[in-house]
Coordinates of all heavy atoms in Angstrom, one line a residue:
M818 N 89.2 -12.8 -36.2 CA 89.9 -14.0 -35.9 C 90.3 -14.7 -37.2 O 89.5 -14.9 -38.0 CB 89.0 -14.9 -35.0 CG 89.5 -16.1 -34.5 SD 88.5 -16.9 -33.2 CE 86.9 -16.9 -33.8
V819 N 91.6 -15.0 -37.3 CA 92.2 -15.6 -38.5 C 92.4 -17.1 -38.3 O 93.1 -17.4 -37.4 CB 93.5 -14.9 -39.0 CG1 94.1 -15.5 -40.2 CG2 93.2 -13.4 -39.2
D820 N 91.9 -17.9 -39.2 CA 92.1 -19.3 -39.3 C 93.5 -19.4 -39.9 O 93.7 -19.2 -41.1 CB 91.1 -20.0 -40.1 CG 91.3 -21.5 -40.1 OD1 92.5 -22.0 -40.0 OD2 90.3 -22.2 -40.4
T821 N 94.5 -19.8 -39.0 CA 95.9 -19.8 -39.5 C 96.2 -21.0 -40.4 O 97.2 -21.0 -41.1 CB 96.9 -19.9 -38.3 OG1 96.6 -21.0 -37.5 CG2 96.8 -18.6 -37.5
T822 N 95.3 -22.0 -40.6 CA 95.5 -23.1 -41.5 C 95.2 -22.6 -42.9 O 95.8 -23.2 -43.9 CB 94.6 -24.3 -41.2 OG1 93.3 -23.9 -41.3 CG2 94.9 -24.8 -39.8
I823 N 94.4 -21.6 -43.1 CA 94.1 -21.0 -44.5 C 94.4 -19.5 -44.6 O 94.2 -19.0 -45.7 CB 92.7 -21.4 -44.9 CG1 91.7 -20.8 -43.9 CG2 92.5 -22.9 -45.1 CD1 90.2 -21.0 -44.2
N824 N 94.8 -18.9 -43.5 CA 95.0 -17.4 -43.5 C 93.9 -16.6 -43.9 O 94.0 -15.6 -44.6 CB 96.3 -17.1 -44.3 CG 97.5 -17.6 -43.5 OD1 97.6 -17.7 -42.3 ND2 98.6 -17.9 -44.3
I825 N 92.7 -17.0 -43.5 CA 91.4 -16.2 -43.8 C 90.8 -15.8 -42.5 O 90.6 -16.6 -41.6 CB 90.5 -17.1 -44.7 CG1 91.1 -17.5 -46.0 CG2 89.1 -16.4 -44.9 CD1 91.3 -16.4 -47.0
C826 N 90.3 -14.6 -42.5 CA 89.5 -14.1 -41.3 C 88.2 -14.8 -41.5 O 87.4 -14.5 -42.4 CB 89.4 -12.6 -41.4 SG 88.5 -11.9 -40.0
D827 N 87.8 -15.6 -40.5 CA 86.6 -16.3 -40.6 C 85.6 -16.0 -39.5 O 84.5 -16.5 -39.5 CB 86.8 -17.8 -40.6 CG 87.4 -18.3 -39.2 OD1 87.7 -17.5 -38.3 OD2 87.6 -19.6 -39.1
N828 N 85.9 -15.0 -38.6 CA 85.0 -14.6 -37.6 C 85.4 -13.3 -36.9 O 86.6 -13.0 -36.9 CB 84.9 -15.7 -36.5 CG 83.7 -15.7 -35.6 OD1 82.9 -14.7 -35.7 ND2 83.5 -16.6 -34.8
V829 N 84.5 -12.6 -36.4 CA 84.8 -11.4 -35.7 C 84.1 -11.5 -34.3 O 83.0 -11.9 -34.2 CB 84.2 -10.1 -36.4 CG1 84.4 -8.9 -35.5 CG2 84.8 -10.0 -37.8
V830 N 84.9 -11.3 -33.3 CA 84.4 -11.5 -31.9 C 84.7 -10.3 -31.1 O 85.7 -9.6 -31.3 CB 85.0 -12.7 -31.2 CG1 84.5 -14.0 -32.0 CG2 86.5 -12.7 -31.1
M831 N 83.9 -10.0 -30.1 CA 84.2 -9.0 -29.0 C 84.9 -9.7 -27.9 O 84.4 -10.7 -27.3 CB 82.9 -8.3 -28.6 CG 82.2 -7.6 -29.6 SD 83.1 -6.1 -30.2 CE 83.0 -5.1 -28.8
W832 N 86.1 -9.3 -27.6 CA 86.9 -10.0 -26.5 C 87.8 -8.9 -25.9 O 88.4 -8.1 -26.5 CB 87.7 -11.1 -27.1 CG 88.5 -11.9 -26.2 CD1 88.2 -12.3 -24.9 CD2 89.9 -12.4 -26.4 NE1 89.2 -13.0 -24.4 CE2 90.2 -13.1 -25.2 CE3 90.8 -12.3 -27.4 CZ2 91.5 -13.7 -25.1 CZ3 92.0 -12.9 -27.3 CH2 92.4 -13.6 -26.1
D833 N 87.9 -9.0 -24.6 CA 88.7 -8.0 -23.8 C 90.2 -8.5 -23.7 O 91.0 -7.8 -23.1 CB 88.1 -7.7 -22.5 CG 88.1 -9.0 -21.6 OD1 88.6 -10.1 -22.0 OD2 87.6 -8.9 -20.4
G834 N 90.5 -9.6 -24.3 CA 91.9 -10.1 -24.3 C 92.2 -10.9 -23.0 O 93.3 -11.4 -22.9
N835 N 91.2 -11.1 -22.1 CA 91.4 -11.9 -20.9 C 91.3 -13.4 -21.2 O 90.2 -13.8 -21.4 CB 90.4 -11.4 -19.8 CG 90.6 -12.1 -18.5 OD1 91.4 -13.1 -18.4 ND2 89.9 -11.6 -17.5
P836 N 92.4 -14.1 -21.1 CA 92.3 -15.6 -21.4 C 91.6 -16.4 -20.3 O 91.3 -17.5 -20.5 CB 93.8 -16.0 -21.5 CG 94.5 -15.0 -20.7 CD 93.8 -13.7 -20.8
N837 N 91.3 -15.7 -19.2 CA 90.5 -16.4 -18.1 C 89.0 -16.5 -18.5 O 88.3 -17.3 -17.9 CB 90.7 -15.7 -16.8 CG 92.1 -15.9 -16.3 OD1 92.7 -16.9 -16.4 ND2 92.7 -14.8 -15.7
T838 N 88.6 -15.6 -19.4 CA 87.2 -15.6 -19.7 C 86.9 -16.3 -21.1 O 85.8 -16.8 -21.3 CB 86.6 -14.1 -19.8 OG1 87.4 -13.4 -20.8 CG2 86.7 -13.4 -18.5
W839 N 87.9 -16.3 -21.9 CA 87.8 -16.9 -23.2 C 89.1 -17.0 -23.9 O 90.0 -16.1 -23.7 CB 86.8 -16.1 -24.1 CG 86.5 -16.7 -25.5 CD1 85.6 -17.7 -25.7 CD2 87.1 -16.4 -26.7 NE1 85.6 -18.0 -27.1 CE2 86.5 -17.2 -27.7 CE3 88.1 -15.4 -27.1 CZ2 86.9 -17.1 -29.0 CZ3 88.4 -15.4 -28.4 CH2 87.8 -16.2 -29.4
T840 N 89.3 -18.0 -24.7 CA 90.6 -18.1 -25.5 C 90.2 -18.4 -27.0 O 89.2 -19.1 -27.2 CB 91.6 -19.1 -25.0 OG1 90.9 -20.4 -24.9 CG2 92.1 -18.7 -23.6
P841 N 91.0 -18.0 -27.9 CA 90.7 -18.3 -29.3 C 90.8 -19.8 -29.5 O 91.6 -20.5 -28.8 CB 91.7 -17.6 -30.1 CG 92.3 -16.6 -29.2 CD 92.1 -17.1 -27.8
P842 N 90.1 -20.4 -30.5 CA 90.2 -21.8 -30.8 C 91.7 -22.1 -31.3 O 92.4 -21.1 -31.7 CB 89.3 -22.0 -32.0 CG 88.4 -20.8 -32.0 CD 89.1 -19.7 -31.3
P843 N 92.1 -23.3 -31.2 CA 93.5 -23.6 -31.7 C 93.5 -23.3 -33.2 O 92.5 -23.3 -33.9 CB 93.6 -25.1 -31.5 CG 92.5 -25.5 -30.5 CD 91.4 -24.5 -30.6
D844 N 94.7 -23.0 -33.6 CA 94.9 -22.6 -35.1 C 94.2 -21.3 -35.5 O 93.9 -21.1 -36.6 CB 94.5 -23.8 -36.0 CG 95.3 -25.0 -35.7 OD1 96.5 -24.9 -35.4 OD2 94.7 -26.1 -35.9
H845 N 94.0 -20.5 -34.5 CA 93.4 -19.2 -34.8 C 94.2 -18.1 -34.2 O 94.8 -18.2 -33.1 CB 91.9 -19.1 -34.3 CG 91.0 -19.7 -35.2 ND1 90.8 -21.1 -35.4 CD2 90.1 -19.2 -36.1 CE1 89.9 -21.3 -36.2 NE2 89.4 -20.2 -36.7
L846 N 94.3 -16.9 -34.9 CA 95.0 -15.8 -34.5 C 94.1 -14.6 -34.2 O 93.2 -14.4 -35.1 CB 96.0 -15.4 -35.6 CG 96.8 -14.1 -35.4 CD1 97.8 -14.2 -34.2 CD2 97.6 -13.8 -36.7
M847 N 94.2 -14.0 -33.1 CA 93.3 -12.9 -32.8 C 94.0 -11.6 -33.2 O 95.2 -11.4 -32.9 CB 93.0 -12.8 -31.3 CG 92.2 -14.0 -30.8 SD 90.6 -14.1 -31.6 CE 89.8 -12.6 -31.1
L848 N 93.3 -10.7 -34.0 CA 93.9 -9.4 -34.4 C 92.9 -8.4 -33.8 O 91.7 -8.6 -33.8 CB 93.9 -9.3 -35.9 CG 94.7 -10.3 -36.6 CD1 94.5 -10.2 -38.1 CD2 96.2 -10.2 -36.3
V849 N 93.5 -7.3 -33.4 CA 92.7 -6.1 -32.9 C 92.3 -5.3 -34.2 O 93.2 -4.7 -34.8 CB 93.5 -5.3 -31.9 CG1 92.7 -4.1 -31.5 CG2 93.9 -6.1 -30.7
Q850 N 91.0 -5.3 -34.5 CA 90.5 -4.6 -35.7 C 90.9 -3.2 -35.7 O 91.3 -2.7 -36.7 CB 89.0 -4.8 -35.8 CG 88.5 -4.2 -37.2 CD 87.1 -4.5 -37.4 OE1 86.3 -4.8 -36.5 NE2 86.7 -4.4 -38.7
A851 N 90.8 -2.5 -34.6 CA 91.1 -1.1 -34.5 C 92.5 -0.7 -34.9 O 92.8 0.5 -35.2 CB 90.7 -0.5 -33.2
T852 N 93.4 -1.6 -34.8 CA 94.8 -1.3 -35.1 C 95.5 -2.1 -36.2 O 96.6 -2.0 -36.5 CB 95.7 -1.5 -33.8 OG1 95.6 -2.9 -33.4 CG2 95.2 -0.6 -32.7
T853 N 94.7 -3.0 -36.8 CA 95.2 -3.9 -37.9 C 95.0 -3.2 -39.2 O 93.8 -2.9 -39.6 CB 94.5 -5.3 -37.8 OG1 94.8 -5.8 -36.5 CG2 95.1 -6.2 -38.9
P854 N 96.0 -3.1 -40.0 CA 95.8 -2.5 -41.3 C 95.2 -3.5 -42.3 O 95.5 -4.7 -42.2 CB 97.3 -2.1 -41.8 CG 98.2 -3.0 -41.0 CD 97.4 -3.3 -39.7
A855 N 94.4 -3.0 -43.2 CA 93.7 -3.8 -44.2 C 93.8 -3.1 -45.5 O 93.8 -1.9 -45.6 CB 92.3 -4.0 -43.8
K856 N 94.0 -3.9 -46.6 CA 94.0 -3.4 -47.9 C 92.6 -3.6 -48.5 O 92.1 -4.7 -48.6 CB 95.1 -4.1 -48.7 CG 96.5 -3.7 -48.3 CD 97.5 -4.3 -49.3 CE 98.9 -3.9 -48.9 NZ 99.9 -4.4 -49.8
V857 N 92.1 -2.4 -48.9 CA 90.7 -2.4 -49.5 C 90.8 -1.6 -50.8 O 91.7 -0.8 -51.0 CB 89.7 -1.8 -48.6 CG1 89.5 -2.7 -47.4 CG2 90.0 -0.4 -48.2
W858 N 89.8 -1.8 -51.7 CA 89.8 -1.1 -53.0 C 89.5 0.4 -52.7 O 88.5 0.7 -52.0 CB 88.8 -1.7 -53.9 CG 89.2 -3.0 -54.4 CD1 88.7 -4.2 -54.1 CD2 90.3 -3.3 -55.3 NE1 89.3 -5.3 -54.7 CE2 90.4 -4.7 -55.5 CE3 91.3 -2.6 -55.9 CZ2 91.3 -5.4 -56.2 CZ3 92.3 -3.2 -56.7 CH2 92.3 -4.6 -56.8
E859 N 90.3 1.3 -53.3 CA 90.1 2.7 -53.2 C 90.1 3.3 -54.6 O 90.9 2.8 -55.5 CB 91.2 3.4 -52.4 CG 91.3 2.9 -51.0 CD 92.5 3.6 -50.2 OE1 93.5 3.9 -50.9 OE2 92.4 3.7 -49.0
Y860 N 89.2 4.2 -54.8 CA 89.1 4.8 -56.1 C 89.8 6.2 -56.2 O 89.7 7.0 -55.3 CB 87.6 5.1 -56.5 CG 87.4 5.6 -57.9 CD1 87.7 4.8 -59.0 CD2 87.0 6.9 -58.1 CE1 87.5 5.3 -60.3 CE2 86.8 7.4 -59.4 CZ 87.1 6.5 -60.5 OH 86.9 7.0 -61.7
D861 N 90.7 6.3 -57.2 CA 91.4 7.6 -57.4 C 90.6 8.3 -58.4 O 90.7 8.0 -59.6 CB 92.8 7.3 -57.8 CG 93.7 8.6 -58.1 OD1 93.1 9.6 -58.3 OD2 94.9 8.5 -58.0
S862 N 89.9 9.4 -58.0 CA 89.1 10.1 -58.9 C 89.9 10.9 -59.9 O 89.3 11.3 -61.0 CB 88.1 11.0 -58.2 OG 88.8 12.0 -57.4
V863 N 91.1 11.2 -59.7 CA 91.9 12.0 -60.6 C 92.4 11.0 -61.7 O 92.2 11.3 -62.9 CB 93.1 12.7 -59.9 CG1 94.0 13.3 -61.0 CG2 92.6 13.7 -58.9
A864 N 93.0 9.9 -61.3 CA 93.5 8.9 -62.3 C 92.4 8.0 -62.8 O 92.6 7.3 -63.8 CB 94.6 8.1 -61.7
K865 N 91.3 8.1 -62.2 CA 90.1 7.2 -62.5 C 90.5 5.7 -62.6 O 90.1 5.0 -63.5 CB 89.5 7.7 -63.9 CG 89.0 9.1 -63.8 CD 88.2 9.5 -65.1 CE 87.7 10.8 -65.1 NZ 87.6 11.7 -64.1
T866 N 91.2 5.3 -61.5 CA 91.6 3.9 -61.4 C 91.3 3.4 -60.0 O 91.2 4.2 -59.0 CB 93.1 3.7 -61.7 OG1 93.8 4.5 -60.8 CG2 93.4 4.1 -63.1
W867 N 91.2 2.1 -59.8 CA 91.1 1.5 -58.5 C 92.4 0.9 -58.1 O 93.1 0.3 -59.0 CB 90.0 0.3 -58.6 CG 88.6 0.8 -58.8 CD1 88.0 1.0 -59.9 CD2 87.7 1.2 -57.7 NE1 86.7 1.5 -59.7 CE2 86.5 1.6 -58.4 CE3 87.8 1.2 -56.3 CZ2 85.4 2.0 -57.6 CZ3 86.7 1.7 -55.6 CH2 85.5 2.0 -56.3
S868 N 92.8 0.9 -56.9 CA 94.0 0.3 -56.4 C 93.8 -0.1 -54.9 O 92.9 0.4 -54.2 CB 95.2 1.2 -56.5 OG 95.0 2.4 -55.7
L869 N 94.6 -1.1 -54.4 CA 94.5 -1.5 -53.1 C 95.2 -0.5 -52.2 O 96.4 -0.2 -52.4 CB 95.0 -2.9 -52.9 CG 94.2 -4.0 -53.4 CD1 95.0 -5.3 -53.4 CD2 92.9 -4.1 -52.7
G870 N 94.5 0.1 -51.2 CA 95.1 1.0 -50.3 C 94.9 0.5 -48.9 O 93.9 -0.1 -48.5
A871 N 95.9 0.9 -48.0 CA 95.8 0.4 -46.6 C 94.9 1.4 -45.8 O 95.1 2.6 -45.9 CB 97.2 0.3 -46.1
Q872 N 94.0 0.8 -45.0 CA 93.2 1.5 -44.1 C 93.2 0.7 -42.8 O 92.9 -0.5 -42.8 CB 91.8 1.7 -44.6 CG 91.7 2.5 -45.9 CD 90.3 2.7 -46.3 OE1 89.3 2.3 -45.7 NE2 90.1 3.3 -47.5
V873 N 93.5 1.4 -41.7 CA 93.5 0.7 -40.4 C 92.0 0.5 -40.0 O 91.2 1.4 -40.1 CB 94.2 1.6 -39.3 CG1 94.1 1.0 -38.0 CG2 95.7 1.8 -39.7
G874 N 91.7 -0.7 -39.5 CA 90.4 -1.1 -39.0 C 89.4 -1.5 -40.0 O 88.2 -1.7 -39.7
A875 N 89.8 -1.6 -41.3 CA 88.8 -1.9 -42.3 C 88.7 -3.4 -42.7 O 87.9 -3.7 -43.5 CB 89.2 -1.1 -43.6
G876 N 89.4 -4.2 -42.0 CA 89.3 -5.7 -42.2 C 88.0 -6.3 -41.9 O 87.3 -5.8 -41.0
Q877 N 87.6 -7.3 -42.6 CA 86.3 -8.0 -42.5 C 86.5 -9.5 -42.6 O 87.6 -10.0 -43.0 CB 85.3 -7.5 -43.5 CG 85.1 -6.0 -43.5 CD 84.1 -5.6 -44.6 OE1 83.3 -6.3 -45.0 NE2 84.3 -4.4 -45.0
I878 N 85.4 -10.2 -42.4 CA 85.4 -11.6 -42.6 C 85.7 -11.9 -44.1 O 85.3 -11.1 -45.0 CB 84.0 -12.2 -42.2 CG1 83.9 -12.1 -40.7 CG2 83.8 -13.6 -42.7 CD1 82.5 -12.6 -40.2
N879 N 86.4 -13.0 -44.4 CA 86.9 -13.4 -45.7 C 88.1 -12.6 -46.2 O 88.5 -12.9 -47.3 CB 85.7 -13.4 -46.7 CG 84.7 -14.5 -46.4 OD1 85.1 -15.5 -45.9 ND2 83.5 -14.2 -46.7
F880 N 88.6 -11.7 -45.5 CA 89.9 -11.1 -45.9 C 91.0 -12.1 -45.6 O 91.0 -12.9 -44.7 CB 90.2 -9.8 -45.1 CG 89.4 -8.6 -45.6 CD1 88.2 -8.6 -46.1 CD2 90.1 -7.4 -45.6 CE1 87.5 -7.5 -46.5 CE2 89.4 -6.2 -46.0 CZ 88.2 -6.3 -46.5
T881 N 92.1 -12.0 -46.5 CA 93.2 -12.9 -46.3 C 94.3 -12.2 -45.5 O 94.6 -11.0 -45.7 CB 93.8 -13.2 -47.7 OG1 92.8 -13.9 -48.5 CG2 95.1 -14.1 -47.6
W882 N 94.9 -12.9 -44.6 CA 96.0 -12.4 -43.7 C 97.3 -12.8 -44.3 O 97.6 -14.0 -44.5 CB 95.8 -12.9 -42.3 CG 96.9 -12.6 -41.3 CD1 97.7 -13.4 -40.7 CD2 97.2 -11.3 -40.8 NE1 98.5 -12.7 -39.9 CE2 98.2 -11.4 -39.9 CE3 96.7 -10.0 -41.1 CZ2 98.8 -10.3 -39.3 CZ3 97.2 -8.9 -40.4 CH2 98.3 -9.1 -39.5
D883 N 98.2 -11.8 -44.5 CA 99.5 -12.2 -45.0 C 100.6 -12.0 -44.0 O 101.8 -12.0 -44.3 CB 99.9 -11.4 -46.3 CG 100.0 -9.9 -46.0 OD1 99.9 -9.4 -44.9 OD2 100.2 -9.1 -47.0
G884 N 100.3 -11.7 -42.7 CA 101.2 -11.5 -41.7 C 101.4 -10.0 -41.4 O 101.9 -9.6 -40.3
T885 N 101.0 -9.1 -42.3 CA 101.1 -7.7 -42.1 C 99.7 -7.0 -42.3 O 99.3 -6.2 -41.6 CB 102.1 -7.1 -43.1 OG1 103.3 -7.7 -42.9 CG2 102.2 -5.6 -42.9
Y886 N 99.0 -7.4 -43.4 CA 97.7 -6.8 -43.8 C 96.7 -7.9 -43.9 O 96.9 -9.0 -44.3 CB 97.8 -6.2 -45.2 CG 98.7 -5.0 -45.2 CD1 100.0 -5.1 -45.7 CD2 98.3 -3.7 -44.9 CE1 100.9 -4.0 -45.8 CE2 99.1 -2.6 -45.0 CZ 100.4 -2.8 -45.4 OH 101.2 -1.7 -45.5
L887 N 95.4 -7.5 -43.6 CA 94.3 -8.2 -44.0 C 93.9 -7.6 -45.4 O 93.9 -6.4 -45.6 CB 93.1 -8.0 -43.1 CG 93.1 -8.7 -41.8 CD1 92.1 -8.2 -40.8 CD2 92.9 -10.2 -42.0
T888 N 93.7 -8.5 -46.4 CA 93.5 -8.0 -47.8 C 92.1 -8.5 -48.3 O 91.9 -9.7 -48.2 CB 94.6 -8.4 -48.7 OG1 95.8 -7.9 -48.2 CG2 94.4 -7.8 -50.1
T889 N 91.3 -7.6 -48.8 CA 90.1 -8.0 -49.4 C 90.2 -9.1 -50.5 O 91.2 -9.1 -51.2 CB 89.3 -6.8 -50.0 OG1 88.0 -7.3 -50.5 CG2 90.0 -6.2 -51.1
N890 N 89.3 -10.0 -50.6 CA 89.2 -11.0 -51.6 C 88.2 -10.6 -52.7 O 87.9 -11.4 -53.6 CB 88.9 -12.4 -51.0 CG 90.1 -12.9 -50.3 OD1 91.2 -12.8 -50.8 ND2 89.9 -13.4 -49.1
E891 N 87.6 -9.4 -52.6 CA 86.7 -8.9 -53.6 C 87.5 -8.6 -54.9 O 88.6 -8.1 -54.8 CB 86.0 -7.7 -53.1 CG 85.0 -7.9 -51.9 CD 83.8 -8.8 -52.4 OE1 83.3 -8.6 -53.5 OE2 83.4 -9.6 -51.6
P892 N 86.9 -8.9 -56.0 CA 87.6 -8.5 -57.3 C 87.7 -7.0 -57.4 O 86.9 -6.2 -56.8 CB 86.7 -9.1 -58.3 CG 85.4 -9.2 -57.7 CD 85.6 -9.5 -56.2
Q893 N 88.6 -6.5 -58.2 CA 88.7 -5.1 -58.4 C 87.4 -4.5 -59.0 O 86.9 -5.1 -60.0 CB 89.9 -4.8 -59.4 CG 90.1 -3.4 -59.6 CD 91.3 -3.1 -60.5 OE1 92.1 -4.0 -60.8 NE2 91.5 -1.9 -61.0
P894 N 86.9 -3.5 -58.4 CA 85.7 -2.9 -59.0 C 85.9 -2.4 -60.4 O 87.0 -2.0 -60.8 CB 85.4 -1.7 -58.1 CG 86.2 -2.0 -56.8 CD 87.4 -2.8 -57.2
V895 N 84.8 -2.4 -61.2 CA 84.9 -1.9 -62.5 C 84.0 -0.6 -62.6 O 82.8 -0.7 -62.2 CB 84.3 -2.9 -63.5 CG1 84.3 -2.3 -64.9 CG2 85.2 -4.2 -63.5
T896 N 84.6 0.5 -63.0 CA 83.8 1.7 -63.1 C 83.1 1.7 -64.5 O 83.8 1.6 -65.5 CB 84.8 2.9 -63.0 OG1 85.5 2.8 -61.8 CG2 84.0 4.2 -63.0
P897 N 81.8 1.8 -64.5 CA 81.1 1.9 -65.8 C 81.6 3.1 -66.6 O 81.8 4.2 -66.0 CB 79.6 1.9 -65.4 CG 79.6 2.2 -64.0 CD 80.9 2.0 -63.4
T898 N 81.7 2.9 -67.9 CA 82.0 4.0 -68.7 C 80.8 4.9 -68.9 O 79.7 4.5 -68.9 CB 82.4 3.5 -70.1 OG1 81.4 2.7 -70.7 CG2 83.7 2.7 -70.1
Q899 N 81.1 6.2 -68.9 CA 80.1 7.2 -69.0 C 79.9 7.5 -70.5 O 80.9 7.7 -71.2 CB 80.5 8.5 -68.2 CG 80.6 8.2 -66.7 CD 79.4 7.8 -66.1 OE1 78.3 8.3 -66.4 NE2 79.4 6.8 -65.2
P900 N 78.7 7.7 -70.9 CA 78.5 8.0 -72.3 C 79.0 9.4 -72.6 O 79.0 10.3 -71.8 CB 76.9 8.0 -72.5 CG 76.4 8.1 -71.1 CD 77.4 7.6 -70.2
V901 N 79.6 9.5 -73.8 CA 80.1 10.8 -74.3 C 79.0 11.4 -75.3 O 78.6 10.7 -76.2 CB 81.4 10.6 -75.0 CG1 81.9 12.0 -75.5 CG2 82.4 10.1 -74.0
T902 N 78.6 12.6 -75.0 CA 77.6 13.2 -75.9 C 78.2 14.6 -76.3 O 79.0 15.2 -75.7 CB 76.3 13.4 -75.1 OG1 76.5 14.3 -74.0 CG2 75.7 12.1 -74.7
T903 N 77.7 15.0 -77.4 CA 78.0 16.3 -77.9 C 76.7 17.1 -78.2 O 75.6 16.5 -78.4 CB 78.8 16.2 -79.2 OG1 78.0 15.5 -80.2 CG2 80.1 15.5 -79.0
G904 N 76.8 18.4 -78.2 CA 75.6 19.2 -78.5 C 74.8 19.4 -77.3 O 75.2 19.1 -76.2
A905 N 73.6 20.0 -77.5 CA 72.8 20.4 -76.3 C 72.1 19.1 -75.8 O 71.8 18.2 -76.5 CB 71.7 21.4 -76.8
Q906 N 71.9 19.2 -74.4 CA 71.2 18.1 -73.8 C 70.1 18.7 -72.9 O 70.2 19.7 -72.4 CB 72.2 17.4 -72.8 CG 73.4 16.7 -73.6 CD 74.3 16.0 -72.6 OE1 73.9 15.6 -71.5 NE2 75.5 15.9 -72.9
T907 N 69.1 17.9 -72.8 CA 68.0 18.3 -71.9 C 68.0 17.3 -70.7 O 68.0 16.1 -70.9 CB 66.6 18.2 -72.7 OG1 66.6 19.0 -73.8 CG2 65.5 18.6 -71.7
L908 N 68.0 17.9 -69.6 CA 68.0 17.0 -68.4 C 66.7 16.9 -67.7 O 65.9 17.8 -67.8 CB 69.0 17.5 -67.3 CG 70.5 17.6 -67.8 CD1 71.3 18.2 -66.7 CD2 70.9 16.2 -68.1

């Protein structure tokens, strides 16, 4: 459920879409999670970089709605650098 005054998903509810049993609060937009695309951080192991990729159904609370996608508000992950060693190693 997206608060349209700030375009942030602020709640997740189970609803069958029947307005006779329940209706969303004013200034809220209901999105079907199973069909709504969301942009989340994805790691490209070949390029070794993070980028926002679209995944259907991945939206969560605190994601921003832009009219097309729910987008994570989490900062871009940082991949720790791996130490480079030379010579023999004992594991």
Side-chain angles (χ1 to χ4, degrees):
M818 181 165 50
V819 175
D820 181 335
T821 57
T822 62
I823 57 174
N824 288 332
I825 298 290
C826 179
D827 65 358
N828 199 353
V829 176
V830 297
M831 296 294 291
W832 181 42
D833 63 4
N835 181 351
N837 293 322
T838 57
W839 183 80
T840 55
D844 299 326
H845 279 74
L846 171 68
M847 294 300 295
L848 301 172
V849 177
Q850 185 174 18
T852 58
T853 301
K856 289 187 178 181
V857 295
W858 290 112
E859 296 177 335
Y860 185 69
D861 181 336
S862 61
V863 174
K865 297 187 180 349
T866 59
W867 291 92
S868 62
L869 288 172
Q872 295 183 6
V873 175
Q877 299 177 32
I878 291 174
N879 291 326
F880 277 38
T881 300
W882 175 244
D883 67 5
T885 304
Y886 294 97
L887 284 167
T888 302
T889 183
N890 286 314
E891 292 292 320
Q893 181 175 351
V895 176
T896 305
T898 56
Q899 298 297 317
V901 177
T902 60
T903 58
Q906 297 179 29
T907 303
L908 300 177

